[in-house]
Amino acid sequence: MTEEFRTQCRELMARFPQARSALLPMLHLAQAEDGYVTPEAIRVCAELLELSTAEVAAVASFYTMYKRHRSGTYHLGVCTNTLCAVLGGDEIWRTLSERLDTGHDEVSADGTFSLERIECQAACTHAPVMTANWEYLDDMDVDKALDVVARLGRGEAVRSTRGPVIRPFTDTERTLAGYDDGLAGEGGTADAKMLAGVAYARQHGMSAPQAPERSPFDETSGTDDAGGAPAGDGEG
Amino acid sequence: MALTPVLTAHWDEPDAFTIAGYRRHGGYEMVGKVLGADPDRLIQVVKDSGLRGRGGAGFPTGLKWSFVPQNDDKDHYLVVNADESEPGACKDIPLMIANPHAVVEGCILAAHAIRARRCFIYIRGEVPQAVRRVRAAVGEAYAAGFLGRDVLGTGIDVDIDVHAGAGAYICGEETALLDSLEGRRGQPRLKPPFPAVAGLYARPTVVNNVETIANIPTIARNGAEWLRQMGTEKSPGFKLFSVSGHVNRPGVFECALGTTMRELLDYAGGVRDGHELKFWVPGGSSVPLLMPEHLDVPMTYEDMQAAGTMLGTATVMVFDETTSVVRAISRWIHFYKHESCGKCTPCREGTYWLEQLLADFELGRAAQGDIAKVDEVCKQMFGRNFCPLGDAAATPYAPALKYFRSEFEAGTHTPAHELFDPLASAVFTPSTVGAAP
């Protein structure tokens, strides 16, 4: 691992009351470097945290997002938990797996794609759901899935349905390690499905009860200057 | 009951997720007021409101806060559980994407109530968009002086860290989450001691679901009586519901507790055209399924319990007559086997055997005695583990058998895919073409 990796790991360790809390971000950072958690990364993390390699490997092997071989440039997930499977996820999985000649937790021959049968992605309203480097691809069907693969394979930009243009696997891992990618503004506030209730309520004149004029905290004297803006630490 | 948009009210504004969008509607106005008051005042307001935890268990939030020892000279921690991974649950992620500042303001207020200076928001790693949005909101709150040292001149310090998980359903269990946050395998701890006494780094800790925390600014602003205008005495307030599956307009619906599934189905445009409701699951795969006869049961903690199930996360899954219940249960059992952390023997071994037995039913090769054998395995698992994952794995089978016994009997001779064409339950027509990659 590079000296820069060690420096960044020490920065992560300094953010927590106890340095070991940085281990999950450090392993994400290791994947940002190499596309998976290498044996060397395990040794370096162990050395920095004064743990045994067995302790670090035990953590790395517990979490499904940490890979023990290099992921494809685009790590594709197809949700095959019950709801997505029933709504067509199994068919999407079968087609993609055949087309790429790649099974679960395997990498395509050219290294462009890796495939994973993923568990519930907390997007059931948008089923069947896929992910590419963990960015949402909502409301998928077989044709859309094949189209995404074709476009990514040709190096074209593919935008997540609720987020930014999909970047390589290692870039997403750097975001998860704690580094700002400047992409929080991508993707809008909410799509039609997230807005379904708001739209219905507007249409039918439904709303929450009127808010009272005074809050239970209004009679408190003293500091009452929520509008003030003293300098903050600016952490982000 | 009715739709009551509060947390979702401004999601149709393009900048609702920014600090400017949030402050336009009174966001952060409670920070100075609450931090300027005694911490116990907010605990009392939340207690009076009757707010119950939105992560699934429904424990009273104010009561949980009051368990934290006060003036003990120890560091206290607020940990926000944003590890939404329950099959069917899809309400916390939309909340964090569209309204992250309600979460951040809620953290600031709740941290004050429990005398914590440090807060961690643990977000599942598989949703980088949620991580980005919450992290950006935290950054904006620091820049505006709502976080950091001496917040708004109150002399109070509050810091928030946003922490990404790495793929483990079990980390939604609060003590497993704490171990994960300490850099370990996410395995549940024996309780007691409870986190309020020995949580993160063995210090007093409150773990709250992210939707619960997002409720706090509104309750502080509008008071307990206002909240109690919605819901029932035992289940006051509003809640993020979602409806997914075989409906015409799946989506997120913020309703008063006590709303019925019949009303929710109406909001969601009804069961998909040309089909009829077979069964529905009110709050994630860990709660027993319900039938069309339960459509008028109010969706409260107490009424769902009386109906033999649980409100859970209030994220409803709807399945029509094209769905094989055997396939549905089999896949959920596979999930629990995949996600069992392996610490407790009944869960680790039980899910291992259940997965194989259910697969046999799905493939039409189960033995006659297997119907009783599955039931026996579930009973051996139930209540014998550190955490509720084993219970959850043992839950779906019995109600499915009760209502659809003939499908399990058919599993002794006929594969599920012959009884229920998988393409009929899909929401798209599979293509025969498709461009080459």
Side-chain angles (χ1 to χ4, degrees):
Chain A
M1 309 306 286
T2 61
E3 195 49 46
E4 191 191 359
F5 174 78
R6 290 167 187 267
T7 303
Q8 290 177 333
C9 283
R10 289 192 190 95
E11 286 168 7
L12 291 170
M13 289 159 60
R15 293 174 62 144
F16 293 94
Q18 293 186 13
R20 183 171 174 163
S21 282
L23 182 52
L24 266 66
M26 286 162 72
L27 291 169
H28 279 306
L29 190 62
Q31 298 208 120
E33 296 283 311
D34 297 313
Y36 71 115
V37 178
T38 63
E40 190 196 356
I42 286 175
R43 279 197 300 277
V44 172
C45 289
E47 175 200 316
L48 289 169
L49 290 169
E50 297 178 12
L51 298 170
S52 70
T53 52
E55 285 172 298
V56 174
V59 173
S61 63
F62 184 81
Y63 297 92
T64 51
M65 290 181 77
Y66 299 134
K67 303 304 178 191
R68 273 174 279 182
H69 53 76
R70 197 181 303 276
S71 289
T73 309
Y74 298 104
H75 183 68
L76 303 178
V78 181
C79 180
T80 54
N81 202 304
T82 297
L83 189 110
C84 277
V86 166
L87 266 61
D90 278 354
E91 187 65 14
I92 294 172
W93 168 262
R94 191 185 61 75
T95 310
L96 273 193
S97 183
E98 281 177 16
R99 180 60 61 93
L100 296 172
D101 192 21
T102 304
H104 170 69
D105 196 29
E106 291 178 4
V107 188
S108 63
D110 65 356
T112 304
F113 297 103
S114 44
L115 272 189
E116 181 175 348
R117 295 169 66 105
I118 54 173
E119 297 301 349
C120 188
Q121 192 65 21
C124 316
T125 42
H126 296 68
V129 172
M130 278 182 62
T131 56
N133 296 335
W134 304 112
E135 309 291 356
Y136 279 131
L137 297 168
D138 298 313
D139 301 304
M140 294 303 287
D141 59 31
V142 168
D143 285 343
K144 287 185 197 170
L146 290 172
D147 181 57
V148 162
V149 167
R151 284 156 62 205
L152 288 173
R154 290 195 298 265
E156 292 175 18
V158 175
R159 181 172 283 278
S160 160
T161 42
R162 282 186 284 169
V165 169
I166 290 153
R167 303 166 303 149
F169 178 79
T170 48
D171 288 2
T172 303
E173 284 295 326
R174 190 165 299 274
T175 300
L176 295 175
Y179 291 88
D180 184 18
D181 56 22
L183 298 172
E186 300 283 316
T189 298
D191 66 7
K193 289 182 169 180
M194 290 163 68
L195 284 170
V198 175
Y200 192 101
R202 292 255 159 86
Q203 205 179 342
H204 294 81
M206 296 178 176
S207 63
Q210 179 81 29
E213 275 186 28
R214 290 173 64 80
S215 123
F217 291 88
D218 276 346
E219 56 266 51
T220 309
S221 58
T223 47
D224 193 5
D225 58 343
D233 285 352
E235 187 196 305
Chain B
M1 298 296 171
L3 285 157
T4 52
V6 177
L7 294 173
T8 59
H10 307 294
W11 288 11
D12 52 356
E13 296 176 15
D15 64 346
F17 62 89
T18 68
I19 195 165
Y22 185 63
R23 294 187 75 175
R24 190 181 308 131
H25 302 287
Y28 291 109
E29 280 178 7
M30 296 314 295
V31 172
K33 294 175 183 176
V34 171
L35 269 54
D38 187 275
D40 286 342
R41 285 196 56 196
L42 182 60
I43 295 182
Q44 195 59 48
V45 169
V46 172
K47 269 188 178 173
D48 292 344
S49 78
L51 175 69
R52 297 174 66 167
R54 301 303 195 220
F59 194 82
T61 305
L63 190 61
K64 188 186 247 190
W65 289 2
S66 69
F67 290 154
V68 173
Q70 291 157 19
N71 311 315
D72 57 355
D73 292 329
K74 288 180 181 171
D75 290 331
H76 293 185
Y77 295 103
L78 173 67
V79 176
V80 178
N81 185 345
D83 192 51
E84 181 171 62
S85 310
E86 169 83 5
C90 48
K91 49 99 180 169
D92 293 338
I93 295 292
L95 172 66
M96 289 187 281
I97 288 176
N99 198 359
H101 282 283
V103 177
V104 174
E105 187 179 9
C107 288
I108 298 167
L109 307 185
H112 178 58
I114 64 159
R115 287 88 166 159
R117 290 180 45 182
R118 198 80 191 259
C119 168
F120 293 92
I121 304 175
Y122 185 107
I123 305 175
R124 68 181 297 193
E126 298 98 319
V127 190
Q129 183 68 354
V131 175
R132 276 186 198 106
R133 283 279 165 93
V134 177
R135 200 175 273 149
V138 167
E140 288 182 315
Y142 269 105
F146 298 124
L147 283 171
R149 284 185 163 269
D150 190 19
V151 173
L152 302 180
T154 56
I156 291 164
D157 305 340
V158 186
D159 284 297
I160 298 180
D161 275 285
V162 178
H163 193 80
Y169 167 68
I170 190 59
C171 291
E173 195 281 332
E174 62 177 6
T175 61
L177 188 154
L178 294 174
D179 263 35
S180 180
L181 191 49
E182 291 180 2
R184 303 168 198 278
R185 306 187 121 202
Q187 294 187 312
R189 303 173 181 173
L190 189 62
K191 296 191 269 193
F194 289 92
V197 175
L200 186 64
Y201 313 125
R203 289 294 178 265
T205 301
V206 166
V207 185
N208 280 146
N209 168 263
V210 65
E211 183 190 348
T212 311
I213 284 293
N215 267 253
I216 302 302
T218 306
I219 293 172
R221 166 62 186 82
N222 294 345
E225 287 312 308
W226 174 83
L227 192 79
R228 284 185 172 280
Q229 290 176 47
M230 292 169 275
T232 62
E233 193 195 336
K234 289 179 179 166
S235 302
F238 55 89
K239 172 95 188 67
L240 292 173
F241 289 77
S242 68
V243 183
S244 59
H246 289 135
V247 292
N248 284 317
R249 290 195 304 272
V252 176
F253 303 92
E254 193 174 15
C255 303
L257 284 161
T259 299
T260 65
M261 185 59 202
R262 193 179 300 282
E263 291 168 303
L264 279 173
L265 261 182
D266 179 42
Y267 305 153
V271 173
R272 68 173 173 158
D273 294 338
H275 295 273
E276 58 191 41
L277 177 63
K278 180 170 181 176
F279 65 95
W280 57 287
V281 189
S285 60
S286 300
V287 311
L289 63 82
L290 293 174
M291 299 294 286
E293 70 207 55
H294 299 108
L295 284 178
D296 294 310
V297 179
M299 293 189 68
T300 64
Y301 297 98
E302 64 275 16
D303 291 295
M304 284 287 116
Q305 197 171 6
T309 184
M310 287 182 287
L311 182 65
T313 47
T315 49
V316 181
M317 293 181 278
V318 173
F319 297 93
D320 70 20
E321 84 289 347
T322 61
T323 308
S324 158
V325 76
V326 171
R327 180 187 181 202
I329 304 297
S330 172
R331 199 60 63 91
W332 279 322
I333 299 298
H334 165 79
F335 167 77
Y336 290 113
K337 188 261 180 184
H338 183 260
E339 300 297 335
S340 173
C341 80
K343 186 170 185 170
C344 308
T345 306
C347 174
R348 183 185 67 243
E349 298 299 314
T351 53
Y352 174 83
W353 289 108
L354 280 185
E355 184 194 36
Q356 296 177 53
L357 286 162
L358 267 298
D360 283 347
F361 281 105
E362 193 177 351
L363 294 168
R365 62 184 191 200
Q368 280 296 337
D370 286 350
I371 289 179
K373 189 185 286 176
V374 172
D375 198 43
E376 179 61 23
V377 173
C378 290
K379 283 178 180 148
Q380 293 286 346
M381 290 169 69
F382 206 89
R384 294 185 176 160
N385 307 287
F386 279 35
C387 90
L389 191 146
D391 292 357
T395 292
Y397 176 74
L401 184 66
K402 176 180 168 189
Y403 293 114
F404 302 103
R405 190 178 184 95
S406 64
E407 285 189 40
F408 287 91
E409 285 169 349
T412 60
H413 50 75
T414 309
H417 66 83
E418 287 183 17
L419 298 168
F420 296 89
D421 178 4
L423 297 182
S425 68
V427 290
F428 54 83
T429 310
S431 165
T432 49
V433 287

